[in-house]
Amino acid sequence: AQRVTQPEKLLSVFKGAPVELKCNYSYSGSPELFWYVQYSRQRLQLLLRHISRESIKGFTADLNKGETSFHLKKPFAQEEDSAMYYCALSGGSQGNLIFGKGTKLSVKP
Amino acid sequence: GAGVSQTPSNKVTEKGKYVELRCDPISGHTALYWYRQSLGQGPEFLIYFQGTGAADDSGLPNDRFFAVRPEGSVSTLKIQRTERGDSAVYLCASSPGLAGGPSYNEQFFGPGTRLTVL
């Protein structure tokens, strides 16, 4: 079955601390993995995708096919990073996204 | 340019009524997606259009749900005989398609329509 698992509903860290949001997936083929972010009162927006291998707003994510993981990391969290983060996968082409349940990141001053 | 827009932003209806939710994708985007997001959950796929045709409607929960995209742009999600369990935020997204280069399948989301069935 195709599935995305985000084990943490809420992650709370202090400003300047490292943060890692976990994502594991189950997919039989070669999926494309994404992280989407939703800031308070804003729409869902793409943060990064594994094929671009970019660092966006200091966040990085590496696809580990052996562990079927795509964890999101940032070395020094900022208060403005507080938001809801969703991991998602696509089977490629222009198919639909399969989302995890999301992790709420709270960065305290 | 303008992003994906959805109307209405909020819809309150009574059990058993019919509702229509509208999505205006980004101009030129060939692919359009509908998702439903219940409280505490991630978005769940409903249906995907490529142009005017439904390329994948496997996420529609039952035959009370139907969606159209007659001219390959605006789409309407239609729900008949609404039930309390249909209450959710309905999200629409669009993506550029093959003309969009490497970002051809990047999905841009609208603000959603919050549907409440009393």
Side-chain angles (χ1 to χ4, degrees):
Chain A
Q2 302 170 18
R3 186 184 301 122
V4 174
T5 303
Q6 294 180 251
E8 303 134 331
K9 289 184 76 171
L10 173 65
L11 186 62
S12 185
V13 302
F14 285 102
K15 177 183 171 182
V19 63
E20 180 179 70
L21 288 83
K22 290 183 167 43
C23 172
N24 287 88
Y25 66 90
S26 172
Y27 190 80
S28 57
S30 294
E32 188 171 352
L33 274 295
F34 304 81
W35 276 99
Y36 277 80
V37 61
Q38 187 167 28
Y39 300 101
S40 180
R41 288 184 286 280
Q42 294 188 27
R43 63 186 66 190
L44 202 57
Q45 58 186 283
L46 179 66
L47 179 61
L48 53 80
R49 56 199 300 174
H50 89 267
I51 61 168
S52 63
R53 303 183 67 82
E54 291 176 305
S55 172
I56 305 294
K57 299 185 179 183
F59 285 97
T60 59
D62 289 318
L63 180 62
N64 185 322
K65 293 185 179 180
E67 295 183 358
T68 58
S69 68
F70 189 56
H71 303 327
L72 183 68
K73 301 177 184 180
K74 185 170 182 176
F76 308 104
Q78 303 300 314
E79 290 180 67
E80 55 265 29
D81 296 329
S82 296
M84 198 73 191
Y85 290 80
Y86 295 94
C87 183
L89 73 80
S90 170
S93 186
Q94 287 184 265
N96 59 287
L97 293 169
I98 298 169
F99 285 88
K101 292 186 177 183
T103 297
K104 183 174 181 178
L105 174 64
S106 174
V107 182
K108 299 179 178 178
Chain B
V4 177
S5 62
Q6 293 185 245
T7 54
S9 55
N10 278 284
K11 176 70 178 178
V12 180
T13 191
E14 292 180 344
K15 180 176 178 296
K17 299 289 189 184
Y18 167 83
V19 296
E20 289 189 352
L21 311 179
R22 176 187 167 109
C23 172
D24 268 282
I26 293 172
S27 177
H29 280 195
T30 59
L32 185 146
Y33 309 78
W34 283 99
Y35 295 84
R36 177 168 72 173
Q37 186 170 21
S38 301
L39 198 61
Q41 304 293 317
E44 289 181 287
F45 168 71
L46 296 175
I47 186 169
Y48 148 52
F49 287 89
Q50 183 62 253
T52 60
D56 182 355
D57 64 358
S58 61
L60 294 177
N62 52 59
D63 61 7
R64 294 186 299 105
F65 288 76
F66 188 71
V68 295
R69 194 186 185 201
E71 297 178 357
S73 179
V74 171
S75 176
T76 305
L77 178 66
K78 309 180 181 194
I79 311 175
Q80 298 178 317
R81 305 182 304 279
T82 51
E83 299 177 357
R84 293 196 180 89
D86 299 335
S87 296
V89 175
Y90 289 81
L91 296 170
C92 176
S94 67
S95 65
L98 295 177
S103 298
Y104 73 99
N105 65 347
E106 177 178 340
Q107 295 187 25
F108 295 82
F109 282 80
T113 293
R114 181 175 299 279
L115 175 66
T116 303
V117 182
L118 301 176

